[in-house]
Amino acid sequence: MPVLFTGIRHKQTPSLNPDLLRLRDEIDETKEKINAARNHFEQAVDPTMIDCYIYEINAAQLRYQFLLRRFKAAESGFS
């Protein structure tokens, strides 16, 4: 299972672009979804539910990677 980036360094500047703030919030929400799916996966005993949580974890990780790339691209564009 791939290791997730632990987080984005949150800049303390109040003038951060609203689009970047929204992306950062989406990234945080996606990390929470990954953690929740992992917790459910660890507790699952039914094979169907195990498959379901594997799917959720993979989908959330792909979304996380996508959002992180967008954030980095947007951040470099606003520098």
mmCIF file of all heavy atoms in Angstrom, residues 1 3 6 13 18 25 27 31 33 41 44 52 55 59-60 62 65-66 70:
data_model
loop_
_atom_site.group_PDB
_atom_site.id
_atom_site.type_symbol
_atom_site.label_atom_id
_atom_site.label_comp_id
_atom_site.label_asym_id
_atom_site.label_seq_id
_atom_site.Cartn_x
_atom_site.Cartn_y
_atom_site.Cartn_z
ATOM 1 N N MET A 1 0.847 -1.174 0.000
ATOM 2 C CA MET A 1 0.000 0.000 0.000
ATOM 3 C C MET A 1 0.896 1.243 0.000
ATOM 4 O O MET A 1 1.802 1.339 0.820
ATOM 5 C CB MET A 1 -0.884 -0.029 1.243
ATOM 6 C CG MET A 1 -2.020 0.933 1.168
ATOM 7 S SD MET A 1 -3.225 0.697 2.493
ATOM 8 C CE MET A 1 -3.968 -0.828 2.001
ATOM 9 N N VAL A 3 2.516 4.902 0.575
ATOM 10 C CA VAL A 3 2.543 5.816 1.711
ATOM 11 C C VAL A 3 2.053 7.168 1.235
ATOM 12 O O VAL A 3 2.463 7.664 0.191
ATOM 13 C CB VAL A 3 3.976 5.936 2.275
ATOM 14 C CG1 VAL A 3 4.033 6.944 3.381
ATOM 15 C CG2 VAL A 3 4.471 4.578 2.730
ATOM 16 N N THR A 6 2.198 13.206 4.137
ATOM 17 C CA THR A 6 1.570 13.468 5.432
ATOM 18 C C THR A 6 0.822 14.785 5.494
ATOM 19 O O THR A 6 0.007 14.972 6.377
ATOM 20 C CB THR A 6 2.610 13.446 6.557
ATOM 21 O OG1 THR A 6 3.632 14.398 6.254
ATOM 22 C CG2 THR A 6 3.190 12.062 6.712
ATOM 23 N N THR A 13 0.128 32.768 5.611
ATOM 24 C CA THR A 13 -0.223 34.044 5.022
ATOM 25 C C THR A 13 -1.734 34.163 4.878
ATOM 26 O O THR A 13 -2.381 33.285 4.301
ATOM 27 C CB THR A 13 0.437 34.222 3.632
ATOM 28 O OG1 THR A 13 0.044 33.142 2.812
ATOM 29 C CG2 THR A 13 1.942 34.272 3.738
ATOM 30 N N PRO A 18 -8.196 32.097 -2.517
ATOM 31 C CA PRO A 18 -9.364 31.294 -2.133
ATOM 32 C C PRO A 18 -9.410 29.929 -2.816
ATOM 33 O O PRO A 18 -9.861 28.953 -2.229
ATOM 34 C CB PRO A 18 -10.558 32.149 -2.545
ATOM 35 C CG PRO A 18 -10.039 33.523 -2.676
ATOM 36 C CD PRO A 18 -8.582 33.411 -3.016
ATOM 37 N N ASP A 25 -8.597 22.421 1.645
ATOM 38 C CA ASP A 25 -9.689 21.808 2.408
ATOM 39 C C ASP A 25 -10.107 20.477 1.799
ATOM 40 O O ASP A 25 -10.364 19.510 2.519
ATOM 41 C CB ASP A 25 -10.890 22.756 2.481
ATOM 42 C CG ASP A 25 -10.636 23.960 3.378
ATOM 43 O OD1 ASP A 25 -9.701 23.904 4.203
ATOM 44 O OD2 ASP A 25 -11.375 24.951 3.243
ATOM 45 N N ILE A 27 -8.221 18.485 0.078
ATOM 46 C CA ILE A 27 -7.143 17.536 0.359
ATOM 47 C C ILE A 27 -7.287 16.998 1.776
ATOM 48 O O ILE A 27 -7.171 15.789 2.006
ATOM 49 C CB ILE A 27 -5.765 18.190 0.136
ATOM 50 C CG1 ILE A 27 -5.534 18.422 -1.361
ATOM 51 C CG2 ILE A 27 -4.648 17.331 0.737
ATOM 52 C CD1 ILE A 27 -4.348 19.309 -1.685
ATOM 53 N N LYS A 31 -7.991 13.103 2.875
ATOM 54 C CA LYS A 31 -7.155 12.343 3.820
ATOM 55 C C LYS A 31 -8.012 11.702 4.900
ATOM 56 O O LYS A 31 -7.775 10.558 5.300
ATOM 57 C CB LYS A 31 -6.105 13.254 4.462
ATOM 58 C CG LYS A 31 -4.956 13.583 3.538
ATOM 59 C CD LYS A 31 -3.786 14.213 4.245
ATOM 60 C CE LYS A 31 -4.119 15.497 4.926
ATOM 61 N NZ LYS A 31 -2.954 16.192 5.484
ATOM 62 N N LYS A 33 -11.126 10.768 4.534
ATOM 63 C CA LYS A 33 -11.836 9.647 3.898
ATOM 64 C C LYS A 33 -10.931 8.429 3.772
ATOM 65 O O LYS A 33 -11.377 7.292 3.965
ATOM 66 C CB LYS A 33 -12.370 10.058 2.531
ATOM 67 C CG LYS A 33 -13.535 11.012 2.611
ATOM 68 C CD LYS A 33 -14.038 11.398 1.237
ATOM 69 C CE LYS A 33 -15.181 12.383 1.355
ATOM 70 N NZ LYS A 33 -15.705 12.799 0.056
ATOM 71 N N PHE A 41 -11.768 -0.946 6.819
ATOM 72 C CA PHE A 41 -11.143 -2.120 6.237
ATOM 73 C C PHE A 41 -10.551 -3.024 7.326
ATOM 74 O O PHE A 41 -10.701 -4.243 7.290
ATOM 75 C CB PHE A 41 -10.047 -1.695 5.252
ATOM 76 C CG PHE A 41 -9.199 -2.827 4.752
ATOM 77 C CD1 PHE A 41 -9.661 -3.671 3.762
ATOM 78 C CD2 PHE A 41 -7.934 -3.046 5.277
ATOM 79 C CE1 PHE A 41 -8.886 -4.722 3.297
ATOM 80 C CE2 PHE A 41 -7.152 -4.093 4.821
ATOM 81 C CZ PHE A 41 -7.625 -4.930 3.824
ATOM 82 N N ALA A 44 -13.350 -4.967 9.009
ATOM 83 C CA ALA A 44 -14.244 -5.769 8.175
ATOM 84 C C ALA A 44 -13.874 -7.253 8.228
ATOM 85 O O ALA A 44 -12.697 -7.613 8.262
ATOM 86 C CB ALA A 44 -14.189 -5.280 6.736
ATOM 87 N N CYS A 52 -15.071 -3.774 -0.813
ATOM 88 C CA CYS A 52 -15.638 -2.427 -0.848
ATOM 89 C C CYS A 52 -14.655 -1.404 -0.277
ATOM 90 O O CYS A 52 -14.417 -0.355 -0.867
ATOM 91 C CB CYS A 52 -16.951 -2.398 -0.066
ATOM 92 S SG CYS A 52 -17.679 -0.769 0.089
ATOM 93 N N TYR A 55 -11.670 -0.786 -2.485
ATOM 94 C CA TYR A 55 -12.065 0.121 -3.558
ATOM 95 C C TYR A 55 -12.097 1.569 -3.052
ATOM 96 O O TYR A 55 -11.588 2.482 -3.703
ATOM 97 C CB TYR A 55 -13.431 -0.287 -4.111
ATOM 98 C CG TYR A 55 -13.980 0.672 -5.129
ATOM 99 C CD1 TYR A 55 -13.548 0.650 -6.449
ATOM 100 C CD2 TYR A 55 -14.925 1.633 -4.757
ATOM 101 C CE1 TYR A 55 -14.034 1.538 -7.374
ATOM 102 C CE2 TYR A 55 -15.415 2.527 -5.682
ATOM 103 C CZ TYR A 55 -14.974 2.482 -6.990
ATOM 104 O OH TYR A 55 -15.457 3.378 -7.903
ATOM 105 N N ALA A 59 -9.732 4.566 -4.457
ATOM 106 C CA ALA A 59 -10.360 5.735 -5.072
ATOM 107 C C ALA A 59 -9.968 7.019 -4.347
ATOM 108 O O ALA A 59 -9.644 8.029 -4.983
ATOM 109 C CB ALA A 59 -11.879 5.570 -5.074
ATOM 110 N N ALA A 60 -9.962 6.988 -3.026
ATOM 111 C CA ALA A 60 -9.608 8.178 -2.251
ATOM 112 C C ALA A 60 -8.132 8.530 -2.442
ATOM 113 O O ALA A 60 -7.773 9.714 -2.507
ATOM 114 C CB ALA A 60 -9.929 7.961 -0.772
ATOM 115 N N LEU A 62 -6.347 7.971 -5.155
ATOM 116 C CA LEU A 62 -6.236 8.582 -6.481
ATOM 117 C C LEU A 62 -6.716 10.026 -6.457
ATOM 118 O O LEU A 62 -6.110 10.909 -7.067
ATOM 119 C CB LEU A 62 -7.018 7.768 -7.514
ATOM 120 C CG LEU A 62 -6.415 6.427 -7.896
ATOM 121 C CD1 LEU A 62 -7.394 5.631 -8.765
ATOM 122 C CD2 LEU A 62 -5.094 6.626 -8.616
ATOM 123 N N GLN A 65 -4.031 12.169 -4.744
ATOM 124 C CA GLN A 65 -2.911 12.458 -5.639
ATOM 125 C C GLN A 65 -3.278 13.527 -6.657
ATOM 126 O O GLN A 65 -2.498 14.443 -6.931
ATOM 127 C CB GLN A 65 -2.459 11.184 -6.344
ATOM 128 C CG GLN A 65 -1.831 10.176 -5.407
ATOM 129 C CD GLN A 65 -1.643 8.817 -6.060
ATOM 130 O OE1 GLN A 65 -1.937 8.628 -7.246
ATOM 131 N NE2 GLN A 65 -1.175 7.853 -5.286
ATOM 132 N N PHE A 66 -4.485 13.422 -7.212
ATOM 133 C CA PHE A 66 -4.964 14.411 -8.173
ATOM 134 C C PHE A 66 -5.035 15.803 -7.545
ATOM 135 O O PHE A 66 -4.545 16.778 -8.109
ATOM 136 C CB PHE A 66 -6.341 13.982 -8.696
ATOM 137 C CG PHE A 66 -7.068 15.052 -9.454
ATOM 138 C CD1 PHE A 66 -6.717 15.347 -10.762
ATOM 139 C CD2 PHE A 66 -8.098 15.760 -8.857
ATOM 140 C CE1 PHE A 66 -7.392 16.340 -11.464
ATOM 141 C CE2 PHE A 66 -8.771 16.751 -9.554
ATOM 142 C CZ PHE A 66 -8.412 17.046 -10.859
ATOM 143 N N ARG A 70 -2.873 19.262 -8.356
ATOM 144 C CA ARG A 70 -3.543 20.539 -8.672
ATOM 145 C C ARG A 70 -3.103 21.640 -7.724
ATOM 146 O O ARG A 70 -2.882 22.784 -8.134
ATOM 147 C CB ARG A 70 -5.074 20.383 -8.595
ATOM 148 C CG ARG A 70 -5.633 19.720 -9.822
ATOM 149 C CD ARG A 70 -7.143 19.729 -9.840
ATOM 150 N NE ARG A 70 -7.681 21.071 -9.754
ATOM 151 C CZ ARG A 70 -8.938 21.340 -9.434
ATOM 152 N NH1 ARG A 70 -9.782 20.352 -9.186
ATOM 153 N NH2 ARG A 70 -9.373 22.579 -9.381
#
